Amino acid sequence: MSQRLTRFFASRSGIILAGAIIGVIAPLLQKLGNPANMGICVACFERDIAGALGLHRAAVVQYIRPEIIGFVLGSMLAAYAFSEFRARAGSAPIVRFVLGMFAMIGALAFLGCPWRAALRLAAGDLNAILGLGGLAAGIAIGVQFLKNGYNLGRAPKTHTAAGWIMPLLMFSLLLLRIVAPVFAKDGPIFFSAGGPGSLHAPLVVALAAGLLIGFLAQRTRFCTMGAIRDVILMRDAHLLSGMGTLIVVAAIMNLILGQTRLGVAGQPVAHSSHVWNFAGMMLSGLAFALAGGCPGRQLFLAGEGDGDAAVFVVGMITGAAFSHNFALAGSPDKAVDGIATVGGLTPNGMGAVILGLVVCLLIGFTMRERTKEV
Amino acid sequence: MKAVDARGLSCPQPVILTRRAIENGQFPIEVLVDTVTARENVRRMAEKAGCTVTMRAAGDDIALTISR
């Protein structure tokens, strides 16, 4: 039975089913309270967690998102249920931390990770086309490095308890979300009173959705970066069929729920600064490709015991803190006194995206290894 | 007989190494992996390339034998 299920989840039907279920759940989470076109956004939600902990003080994006917690714990449940939990760590962790930081800085320049780019497109936000184009461009650069021997090295097995650290951190976040303690006067835990951080689906619903997606994604290896990488690297559309299904199903759900708004300017929590939408996601795509997984996949890997993926996640959360503390994140289009203004990046943000691209290229060029073949 | 040790390598390294061995045509190829993800990715790629794949447990790891 377990073998048969494993075969099913690894099949084309399995990945399509996972994409379809995510495509149903994400727009529903928006209907139930999550911000617009943000039913699920790994980057935004990790940024909100950084804010809730006071790692940055952008008051409108602070909340402990149960979906993220569910992704890790759901994956862990699946890994244990199918005897796949394997603690491993030690494949260039500091490099993965830096890749995580710049992946987040790029994503926040665009205002969303690949998951949200897909959901924005499914809701009619045409800026997402540039985001997804940038993502594909960044991944294509990463594939060239992979073809030329880029490799961060082997991760040895480690103590099972080491693999439990990220799931336990997530469980601690869940406790902080439920108890909502105040640690100092005017201090964290912060929950936004206005803005996107104040918009959220009920705790139990969000956690259950996260657990289900985490479980399914661990079984099917759902990955929004791998979807594009595998097509470029080996003409394999297996993972892409999952991501494609997600977009189609989410688009249908948005139409049914009345959440579709076709256009470019003034899209919710988005800007129409085209160059930086493209460049931000190009940075993210390159960083994800060099790290071997999209931000969701890194959470699922962390749930099944991968300590290096866990370090990438911590890098992303740290990157979010820098992004808001140093004013690197994109600001959305807004209407001021009835006049529409285009949002986008500050000069700091532009500099950070360029710096990130340079750092990722250096990592790609310098970290090649001839893997020892026995 | 060609051996590929892909244990501990993250995605997509096991697939890249195996594909290189297939392109070099040194059959049979024995690939050692340590996660089910790597096993499934290598199996799918090899079968798509027209190879036959058999799998067996090798201690804590998984050995795939790829032949054509």
Side-chain angles (χ1 to χ4, degrees):
Chain A
M1 179 67 180
S2 163
Q3 284 292 329
R4 286 230 315 271
L5 273 175
T6 297
R7 272 285 162 123
F8 169 75
F9 282 122
S11 71
R12 179 63 67 100
S13 316
I15 190 83
I16 287 175
L17 178 72
I21 290 176
I22 298 168
V24 169
I25 289 177
L28 279 176
L29 284 172
Q30 177 182 339
K31 194 74 189 170
L32 292 170
N34 278 3
N37 303 353
M38 211 188 280
I40 294 167
C41 172
V42 177
C44 316
F45 288 3
E46 288 176 353
R47 180 265 324 269
D48 292 349
I49 289 173
L53 299 177
L55 302 178
H56 70 71
R57 296 296 182 97
V60 291
V61 283
Q62 298 175 319
Y63 180 60
I64 294 177
R65 296 277 177 188
E67 291 89 345
I68 298 293
I69 298 166
F71 276 18
V72 175
L73 299 182
S75 165
M76 188 189 198
L77 285 174
Y80 268 104
F82 289 84
S83 311
E84 284 181 20
F85 187 89
R86 296 176 82 89
R88 56 210 189 260
S91 166
I94 187 66
V95 178
R96 293 176 188 276
F97 181 86
V98 169
L99 289 172
M101 270 182 51
F102 281 115
M104 180 62 98
I105 287 169
L108 292 180
F110 165 71
L111 293 174
C113 67
W115 290 58
R116 182 163 191 249
L119 292 171
R120 279 171 58 173
L121 183 63
D125 175 351
L126 299 177
N127 297 298
I129 294 173
L130 279 158
L132 289 168
L135 180 73
I139 294 169
I141 298 170
V143 165
Q144 290 312 309
F145 287 125
L146 287 168
K147 282 184 174 170
N148 285 299
Y150 166 81
N151 185 352
L152 288 180
R154 290 175 201 273
K157 293 186 182 72
T158 183
H159 309 287
T160 300
W164 272 72
I165 288 184
M166 188 44 117
L168 285 174
L169 283 174
M170 286 293 155
F171 187 73
S172 311
L173 283 176
L174 182 61
L175 292 181
L176 291 176
R177 165 64 186 81
I178 295 168
V179 180
V182 174
F183 285 98
K185 190 174 176 295
D186 301 325
I189 301 296
F190 297 114
F191 292 136
S192 296
S198 66
L199 300 170
H200 54 82
L203 167 65
V204 175
V205 176
L207 183 63
L211 286 168
L212 176 61
I213 293 173
F215 192 97
L216 282 171
Q218 194 281 334
R219 298 314 302 146
T220 58
R221 336 291 173 196
F222 185 89
C223 177
T224 59
M225 185 281 298
I228 297 170
R229 180 200 60 206
D230 287 357
V231 171
I232 300 174
L233 182 66
M234 43 197 178
R235 310 271 168 257
D236 177 6
H238 176 80
L239 289 173
L240 187 67
S241 57
M243 190 178 175
T245 307
L246 186 167
I247 295 174
V248 172
V249 172
I252 296 168
M253 284 296 294
N254 280 326
L255 282 170
I256 295 170
L257 297 170
Q259 295 176 163
T260 307
R261 204 174 111 192
L262 192 67
V264 174
Q267 289 286 338
V269 205
H271 62 73
S272 46
S273 173
H274 305 309
V275 171
W276 297 101
N277 276 332
F278 187 91
M281 279 309 255
M282 184 163 85
L283 169 57
S284 272
L286 176 55
F288 293 137
L290 294 177
C294 79
R297 180 87 187 122
Q298 303 284 351
L299 290 169
F300 311 135
L301 283 168
E304 59 177 65
D306 186 335
D308 297 312
V311 171
F312 185 93
V313 171
V314 176
M316 280 192 76
I317 292 171
T318 311
F322 275 108
S323 210
H324 284 282
N325 289 341
F326 288 16
L328 313 177
S331 46
D333 291 351
K334 1 181 176 334
V336 183
D337 300 329
I339 301 162
T341 56
V342 173
L345 292 192
T346 60
N348 309 2
M350 297 174 190
V353 169
I354 292 167
L355 175 68
L357 284 167
V358 170
V359 169
C360 288
L361 289 174
L362 283 174
I363 289 173
F365 276 117
T366 55
M367 302 192 189
R368 293 187 224 179
E369 182 188 84
R370 280 197 60 80
T371 310
K372 213 164 70 190
E373 294 175 24
V374 185
Chain B
M1 173 74 178
K2 168 84 178 162
V4 175
D5 183 0
R7 289 174 297 177
L9 291 175
S10 60
C11 188
Q13 299 296 341
V15 174
I16 291 179
L17 294 178
T18 309
R19 197 174 62 155
R20 202 171 291 156
I22 290 175
E23 282 165 0
N24 291 338
Q26 300 150 297
F27 295 100
I29 304 160
E30 181 161 283
V31 186
L32 268 182
V33 297
D34 60 355
T35 64
V36 178
T37 306
R39 182 192 80 190
E40 288 303 313
N41 288 344
V42 168
R43 182 184 63 79
R44 199 173 59 243
M45 184 274 297
E47 287 178 351
K48 224 179 128 193
C51 302
T52 321
V53 183
T54 55
M55 301 184 286
R56 63 182 166 79
D60 278 351
D61 305 315
I62 307 154
L64 297 97
T65 308
I66 298 172
S67 46
R68 181 173 263 168

